[in-house]
Amino acid sequence: MNTLGVISDTHGLLREDAVALLQGVDHIVHAGDIGNPTIIERLERVAPVSAIRGNVDVEPWASLFADTLQVTLFGQKIFVIHDRKDMTFAPAMMGINLVISGHSHRASIESRDDAIYLNPGSAGPRRFRLPITLAMVQILPGRLVPKIYEIASDLHRSRLHG
């Protein structure tokens, strides 16, 4: 069994709670709106990272990252795009098992047409009243088991419980 950590929309803020939760994963996917290249450097200290840029990643450093990524990890074909609405093809037709997106800041897991669509939500600064989340995907023989994790909701709560 392998575990994939999935994070998005950090917008320059990588919470220690997120780093702690990702400890022990085999690979990390960042689905864009990184906000600062040091985020990726920090995540690479936890596990290998595959990342794309999002709509806020416009500084010169962001040119190191593609807009989309198709990668095979642990025998699973994965497609990463920041905004799922920008997809122009049916993933199942391309043999893709998992589509990872971000952008909306809303965590979701959806199975459709033999593919799992995963949005880990936003792990960066709080937007609106949405929870601060990331996701993990357990890769088991013949199936993927995604799960959303809520990160400590604010600094006050982190201090109280940390």
Side-chain angles (χ1 to χ4, degrees), residues 67-79:
D67 290 323
T68 63
L69 178 67
Q70 185 172 326
V71 63
T72 300
L73 295 170
F74 315 113
Q76 301 296 314
K77 280 190 173 181
I78 301 167
F79 184 74

Side-chain angles (χ1 to χ4, degrees), residues 129-144:
R129 293 183 167 266
L130 296 171
I132 298 160
T133 56
L134 57 75
M136 304 275 198
V137 181
Q138 299 290 325
I139 300 172
L140 304 168
R143 68 188 182 115
L144 299 171

Side-chain angles (χ1 to χ4, degrees), residues 46-74:
V46 175
V49 176
S50 296
I52 61 166
R53 66 177 171 245
N55 56 291
V56 304
D57 299 321
V58 295
E59 299 295 321
W61 62 264
S63 65
L64 296 172
F65 301 95
D67 290 323
T68 63
L69 178 67
Q70 185 172 326
V71 63
T72 300
L73 295 170
F74 315 113

